[in-house]
Amino acid sequence: MRSLPAGKTPRSTIQSRRLFYCIVPFIILCFLFSYFPLYGWIYAFFDYKPPLKLSQCEFVGWKWFKTLFANRTQIGQMIQVMKNTFAMSLLGIATSILPMGFAVFLNEIQCRWFKNLVQTLTTLPNFISWVLVYSVAFCLFTDSGMVNNFLIGHGMIQAPVKFLDSDTHTYLWMTMWNLWKGLGWGAIMYLAAIAGIDPELYDAARVDGANRLQLMKHITIPCLLPTFFVLLMLSIANFLNNGMDQYYVFQNSFNKAHIQVLDLYVYNVGMTGSSLSLATAVSMLKSLVSVTLLLIVNSVSKKTRGETII
Amino acid sequence: MVREKIFHVVNYLMFGIITLICAYPFYYMIINTISANDLSANGFINFLPKGFHLENYKQVIRLRGLSAAAVVSVARTILGTACTVFASAYLGFLFTQEKMWHRKFWYRFFVITMYFNAGLIPMFITMKTLHLTNSFWVYVIPTIIQPFYIILVKTYIESIPKSLQEAAEIDGAGILTVFARIILPAAQPIMATVAIFAAVSQWNSFQDTLIYVTDQRLYSLQYLLYTYINQASSLAAMVRSGGTGAISGAVLASRQTPSSIRMTVSVIVVLPILFIYPIFQRFFVKGIMIGSIKG
Amino acid sequence: MRKKQISVILCAALAVTAVLAGCNKDASVENITGNSSYDKLITVDVFDTLANYQGIQSGWFAKVVKDKFNMELNIIAPNVAGGGDTLFQTRSAAGNLGDLIITKTENGRFENMVKAGLLMDMAPVLKEKNVYKNYEDAILNMNKGLAKEGIYAIPSEISSQSPNVSAEGIEPLVAPYLRWDGYKAIGYPEMKTLEDMIPVMKQLQEQIPKSDSGKKTYAISLFKDWDDNMMMIAKNYASLYGYQEIGFVMEKYDGSDFQNIVDSDSYYVKSLHFLFDANQEGLVDPESTTQNYDILSDKYRDGQVLTSLWSWQGQSYYNTRERKEEGKGIMPAFIEDMAPYTDGCYSMGNGKGVIAIGSQAKEPERLAAFIDWMYSPEGMELVSQANGAAGPEGLTWEMKDEKAVYTDYGWKALPNNDVPVPEEWGGGSWKDGVSALNYKPLALVDTDPNTNEPYITTMWSSVLEMNDTPLDTDWQKYAQGAKTTIELLEKKGALSVAPGTSYIQPKESSDITTLRGQCKAVIVDDSWKMVFAADEAEFDSSLQHMQDTVHGLGYDRVLEVDLKNAKDRAATRKTAMDEYARRRK
């Protein structure tokens, strides 16, 4: 290390600082819109009742956090809800490899217009709101819907199958709907990554005698893996956030035992509606869990793969 | 050779089936919105339209404020997407620079914001303090930083060979020149991806209008259509709380059902997106960047 | 390149269409010239929780408002804006709800709005006005016990009639409506109790096996959207016997009985059992469990559902003029032991919906004059046209031989059809010009001094005479000459009129609210399971499960609160009766 004249910083530090200055405006933006509003977490410690101002409301401390575990029956309900949440999230994670597979195999299609058509049309479900998805599902799967009419008309069954209001295979059905909605859209990221692979790699490997499957295994997939791991980690951190819309439209008294995930449960018992404070408390807890999961997965990745994901 | 052919046939078939499953519900919606409403309501329209009419669409076109809302939506989509794409690319690139001062810390600073949500009232008060409520910029400025897209871009850029950057730096290029000359062209596929995601998100969003905007001239298209749907469904709720049922008579018996309105609105909102796709699909052609750089 | 060009052209085409569409002419307020005594045109923000339209009021009602007050109304409607309470929360956080506020008041909202300083004390501007002079009692009653002294709101539906007169005009809250053509064909069988309806429904289903479009019919079809504290439809069967809900309690109309809904012999559970029996007989649509309100409405339109509890559900959707001419339609039958519930007139006003002036309003004088006008007979005719009143005199109605009759235009336009309005009245379409405020200042069944008939036109003698389709005449014969459902029930002494009261449910602690949320989720789910149980044993086990679970959650604490509220409400009913008697002396 050369010693420096007094008062001068090493070039590498200047450079590192300069890089930092480049992102400062964005740090400010991020702070303003994501960190600054967090002062609102204080609402979770009051009994906030709009339209009163916060100062006019009663301070209640940890009350809201304890509400979710108030008594035995309540805890029993929470256990079932958490089971549902876990199941749906696990299934979601398990099927998250499918968009990658979709992209890999779509890449093998030679015909350019067919490829573009498939890509465009398979993203359509992503734009249909869950309310409408349910309308379509109702038309297809209800007792007098298309599927049952077809099955009865061809003598395969005698009485209509209760697709929508039975509790069998609820997890599976919800996962299938999720997949249908998200497959084409999720594959876009992987298609972009594949577009970035140097074609010379393929040419070289083909010269060496690699067949299609080997090309996939040794070139395409390794290039997609970084994206896949990042998305995997983000979904693990999102474990408790299944969203509500999908489960809300499909729920009814008969499948509720298995369809009620945490977000839906909180909505159903009116927690979010009637009490902003309780909703804030729940949101705080979920954030805590998410960030913890994120850090855990990150360190697991460091130990197994040698590098962290974020 | 035969194995190749079988593979191709199976591949095409699989994608054909998947495409049909994905496209059919949308097709179902289209034919239902152009068929006679009572046939549609009774579930008779499954594969072909019957009783063709465009009344559903005409009703929507006649909505007051539709053209203004359309202009707002187009403007916010274009501006918002441009800003988001630029910011994501910029930040995604800078975070790949290992020399940055406390890089990991600042990267996590951005990423974990995906997991907290301050709540409705604090966000509203923040926007109000920043004078963003009832302003067009509430659609653009808060959406500039999207950690998810930053992650996507960063992961992608990490797969670009470092030699390109090093070569440019040896030639005396500063960090911003490297960004503009080397990285941007090379990252076109991922930027196109971010552009699609951001554009769709801007085009479809209505929650921000709902919460932050009361001036009708700033309504986004999606929000206007959302209120249109609400209006149809809320009539029923009104009757329930009202008591005297005199009004409901003629109104409820009218031809347009809430579900036909929803479907019409959905079709109208999605069609522009379908027309934009071809523009982005150009970027998903393999090897588009490496070739252009090396040449 | 070509594909890109095509997409650009298509986008441009879309944009052009949108722009052209925006240029259509509609009766915007700028085109209307006013001639009032106020100089400045102001735009009044109306925060209206009852409205179903958001935006600037246009058309004939807007012209009236502009002529008289030189104002245009910008309606802010949470129902349309979406997000539930979001708009209310954000606007109150900003400190300004609006210039004029029409809002619901329950659960402590009214008191909190006063406490938070969102409402203006109207006493100075209201003291000289007619509305205060005529309805002083009701107004003062509304504003007592608040954190600050003053007059902050005026209640809606103020009536000068006895609380024992039904406020609903021609149809009660619930009644056993069924397909009259079928009922006639099977010989009008007598029904002594609710259970007797089951064999009748069975016969109806056999008599009318297919709907107008050829689909299978069902006597009963349910939906799940509106379930709140309990399964909504089951509760309504209980209302057939004069009970109305308040939380988890069913209160009898005269305050003589309070039932806990999870009790095994409550009317609620009896209704669930009724539905269970109906389902066992194959009378209940199996799609009930998964369909929402929109889907059910379509079925009613088509005639797939043969009975209904609400007039606006069965009759409004199915009874078109053509079908009535054929003698087909849904009309109310009569069950011997029934006593349908109906709300009586609100002599002290209906405290659940009020109108107020916002604390940041710029011209309270003008707004007070506007409110005063709303509570006058002329104002009532125009504002409540949205709820069935007559509309502008001379356009839709006129006095002929001392009787109020519709004009030809009135027959075409009323109640709110898409008919063009003459330019001098405001232009545009009639239905677009209807007042979007959806507020009833006075009781619709009160007598309009201008016409000597009720405000609500469906009760006018000239209009009732026109109910002369074969369906109507047949029904009127059965009803021994009664022209409306309420008339029939009054004749038979079966109407349960709950004296109108200005009672508002007080705010409850957040604990109770949370507990209530949990309990009602259990009650609703188990109720559905009970209705669709496979057999009696399953019905009983679901009932047991419901009772055990809610008690485990802490149901009794909520019940205590609800019972207290129910008793308070019953007491105010009695007070309303006494007050009215005292005033009439």
Side-chain angles (χ1 to χ4, degrees), chain C residues 289-575:
Chain C
T289 52
T290 52
Q291 66 191 1
N292 55 28
Y293 182 74
D294 294 339
I295 299 176
L296 181 60
S297 326
D298 288 334
K299 289 189 176 170
Y300 269 107
R301 262 182 262 253
D302 185 36
Q304 285 175 44
V305 190
L306 302 175
T307 69
S308 164
L309 276 184
W310 293 305
S311 70
W312 49 264
Q313 189 181 39
Q315 294 190 311
S316 305
Y317 284 122
Y318 188 69
N319 292 4
T320 62
R321 192 95 194 164
E322 296 83 38
R323 288 191 178 126
K324 284 171 85 163
E325 293 290 347
E326 288 173 37
K328 274 162 57 164
I330 294 189
M331 298 298 276
F334 191 81
I335 302 179
E336 291 297 319
D337 73 343
M338 76 177 181
Y341 178 93
T342 181
D343 279 314
C345 286
Y346 299 98
S347 54
M348 289 296 213
N350 182 0
K352 293 202 273 253
V354 300
I355 188 167
I357 299 183
S359 54
Q360 315 279 335
K362 298 277 179 352
E363 295 214 19
E365 247 298 333
R366 212 193 293 199
L367 293 173
F370 179 65
I371 296 179
D372 189 42
W373 173 78
M374 280 173 74
Y375 279 82
S376 69
E378 187 206 356
M380 181 71 190
E381 286 161 15
L382 296 170
V383 170
S384 287
Q385 194 282 321
N387 305 89
E393 180 172 7
L395 179 61
T396 51
W397 67 281
E398 59 192 359
M399 295 298 288
K400 233 197 206 147
D401 307 323
E402 308 282 317
K403 255 174 56 152
V405 293
Y406 285 178
T407 58
D408 287 333
Y409 183 81
W411 279 110
K412 274 190 288 178
L414 291 174
N416 65 8
N417 296 326
D418 193 3
V419 206
V421 175
E423 272 308 318
E424 69 269 20
W425 288 95
S429 161
W430 172 262
K431 79 168 167 57
D432 288 336
V434 170
S435 158
L437 295 173
N438 198 20
Y439 183 72
K440 296 177 252 187
L442 304 172
L444 277 168
V445 296
D446 266 16
T447 308
D448 180 356
N450 291 343
T451 63
N452 269 329
E453 302 234 38
Y455 286 105
I456 184 169
T457 60
T458 45
M459 281 179 87
W460 285 4
S461 43
S462 58
V463 174
L464 285 174
E465 270 164 18
M466 297 299 284
N467 282 347
D468 57 1
T469 63
L471 182 71
D472 288 314
T473 35
D474 192 65
W475 184 81
Q476 284 162 17
K477 254 196 306 190
Y478 167 90
Q480 299 155 3
K483 288 255 160 93
T484 70
T485 318
I486 287 208
E487 214 184 308
L488 168 65
L489 292 170
E490 280 172 345
K491 268 192 181 194
K492 301 247 184 173
L495 194 62
S496 304
V497 183
T501 155
S502 60
Y503 175 82
I504 325 176
Q505 225 166 319
K507 65 177 163 217
E508 53 184 21
S509 86
S510 313
D511 286 341
I512 299 286
T513 312
T514 317
L515 213 47
R516 184 190 295 281
Q518 296 165 338
C519 289
K520 70 183 179 192
V522 173
I523 292 177
V524 166
D525 287 339
D526 280 329
S527 301
W528 279 95
K529 292 214 181 89
M530 286 178 6
V531 170
F532 286 94
D535 51 34
E536 195 76 44
E538 216 180 287
F539 182 89
D540 289 331
S541 79
S542 290
L543 178 60
Q544 192 64 42
H545 178 261
M546 175 169 90
Q547 292 167 332
D548 293 340
T549 319
V550 296
H551 282 117
L553 286 170
Y555 178 79
D556 293 317
R557 286 171 54 200
V558 187
L559 188 63
E560 212 183 301
V561 171
D562 287 335
L563 271 174
K564 178 176 185 308
N565 287 344
K567 298 210 166 92
D568 288 344
R569 184 164 82 174
T572 58
R573 292 201 205 276
K574 190 156 184 318
T575 321

Side-chain angles (χ1 to χ4, degrees), chain B:
Chain B
M1 242 8 282
V2 178
R3 271 175 90 200
E4 276 285 304
K5 281 225 156 53
I6 296 180
F7 173 80
H8 275 295
V9 166
V10 170
N11 209 21
Y12 274 83
L13 210 61
M14 280 279 299
F15 278 109
I17 296 178
I18 295 180
T19 312
L20 267 173
I21 297 180
C22 289
Y24 175 69
F26 195 71
Y27 171 72
Y28 178 86
M29 282 181 0
I30 294 184
I31 54 177
N32 267 281
T33 52
I34 59 176
S35 302
N37 280 355
D38 43 8
L39 288 179
S40 163
N42 289 323
F44 288 127
I45 314 284
N46 293 326
F47 296 107
L48 287 172
K50 287 186 202 129
F52 178 82
H53 74 105
L54 286 175
E55 193 54 41
N56 286 332
Y57 291 96
K58 285 198 205 142
Q59 290 277 24
V60 175
I61 302 280
R62 273 193 227 130
L63 276 182
R64 200 177 309 142
L66 188 78
S67 48
V71 168
V72 169
S73 279
V74 170
R76 67 177 285 189
T77 305
I78 295 180
L79 263 173
T81 306
C83 291
T84 307
V85 170
F86 172 74
S88 309
Y90 184 74
L91 288 170
F93 167 65
L94 285 173
F95 279 125
T96 58
Q97 304 303 301
E98 296 183 4
K99 295 199 208 105
M100 190 198 288
W101 185 65
H102 292 313
R103 175 183 76 114
K104 278 209 159 144
F105 172 77
W106 290 113
Y107 187 51
R108 289 170 190 173
F109 179 83
F110 279 87
V111 169
I112 59 174
T113 62
M114 282 199 287
Y115 296 106
F116 22 91
N117 174 15
L120 181 72
I121 303 280
M123 280 309 290
F124 177 77
I125 297 182
T126 307
M127 295 297 178
K128 194 155 194 309
T129 324
L130 295 170
H131 295 293
L132 282 177
T133 49
N134 266 332
S135 147
F136 177 77
W137 298 105
V138 77
Y139 293 140
V140 175
I141 298 184
T143 63
I144 295 182
I145 311 269
Q146 298 283 358
F148 181 65
Y149 304 152
I150 300 177
I151 294 179
L152 279 183
V153 176
K154 172 171 178 282
T155 314
Y156 185 89
I157 292 182
E158 279 167 353
S159 70
I160 297 178
K162 293 229 168 31
S163 50
L164 288 172
Q165 181 174 356
E166 284 162 11
E169 276 174 348
I170 290 177
D171 287 345
I175 196 77
L176 292 175
T177 325
V178 171
F179 176 60
R181 293 268 163 76
I182 311 288
I183 302 294
L184 278 185
Q188 279 178 342
I190 197 69
M191 282 172 61
T193 307
V194 171
I196 296 184
F197 286 171
V200 167
S201 165
Q202 284 282 8
W203 180 253
N204 279 342
S205 77
F206 66 95
Q207 291 276 11
D208 41 16
T209 315
L210 192 157
I211 301 174
Y212 306 121
V213 171
T214 50
D215 186 350
Q216 290 181 304
R217 291 165 299 180
L218 283 173
Y219 279 1
S220 65
L221 183 64
Q222 260 282 17
Y223 181 70
L224 190 70
L225 296 172
Y226 172 72
T227 59
Y228 177 57
I229 295 177
N230 280 347
Q231 215 162 297
S233 350
S234 74
L235 278 172
M238 165 180 102
V239 173
R240 170 193 187 193
S241 55
T244 0
I247 178 184
S248 29
V251 179
L252 289 176
S254 74
R255 312 293 309 286
Q256 292 217 306
T257 67
S259 34
S260 74
I261 291 178
R262 269 202 199 96
M263 290 199 274
T264 312
V265 164
S266 207
V267 171
I268 292 182
V269 167
V270 174
L271 280 180
I273 302 180
L274 290 184
F275 294 141
I276 301 287
Y277 259 153
I279 304 182
F280 292 110
Q281 279 171 337
R282 290 193 314 142
F283 296 100
F284 289 167
V285 176
K286 239 190 298 199
I288 190 173
M289 59 86 176
I290 295 289
S292 57
I293 304 279
K294 287 209 174 146

Side-chain angles (χ1 to χ4, degrees), chain A residues 20 85-86 102 110 116 120 135 168 199 225 229 232 249 303:
Chain A
F20 172 69
T85 311
F86 273 40
F102 184 91
Q110 318 280 37
N116 283 346
T120 309
S135 294
T168 47
L225 276 184
F229 279 122
L232 184 67
V249 291
K303 295 220 165 68

Side-chain angles (χ1 to χ4, degrees), chain A residues 47 74 134 144 165 254 256, chain C residues 224 287 289-290 510 518 525:
Chain A
D47 185 7
Q74 172 71 16
Y134 184 71
S144 62
D165 55 351
F254 297 88
K256 204 173 271 195
Chain C
K224 59 186 170 93
E287 289 179 1
T289 52
T290 52
S510 313
Q518 296 165 338
D525 287 339

Side-chain angles (χ1 to χ4, degrees), chain A residues 47 49 51 53 56 63-64 71 73-74 77 134 138 142-144 164-165 251-254 256 269 274, chain C residues 3 89 92 112 115-116 118 224 286-287 289-290 295 510-511 513 517-518 522 525 528-529 532 552-553:
Chain A
D47 185 7
K49 275 186 144 56
K53 305 200 213 319
Q56 294 173 306
K63 179 166 107 161
W64 298 121
N71 58 38
T73 328
Q74 172 71 16
Q77 288 192 325
Y134 184 71
F138 187 83
T142 190
D143 290 28
S144 62
L164 295 174
D165 55 351
Q251 78 172 342
N252 54 57
S253 301
F254 297 88
K256 204 173 271 195
V269 295
S274 62
Chain C
K3 255 201 262 176
Q89 289 169 357
S92 38
N112 286 344
K115 206 163 146 193
L118 290 169
K224 59 186 170 93
E287 289 179 1
T289 52
T290 52
I295 299 176
S510 313
D511 286 341
T513 312
Q518 296 165 338
V522 173
D525 287 339
W528 279 95
K529 292 214 181 89
F532 286 94
L553 286 170

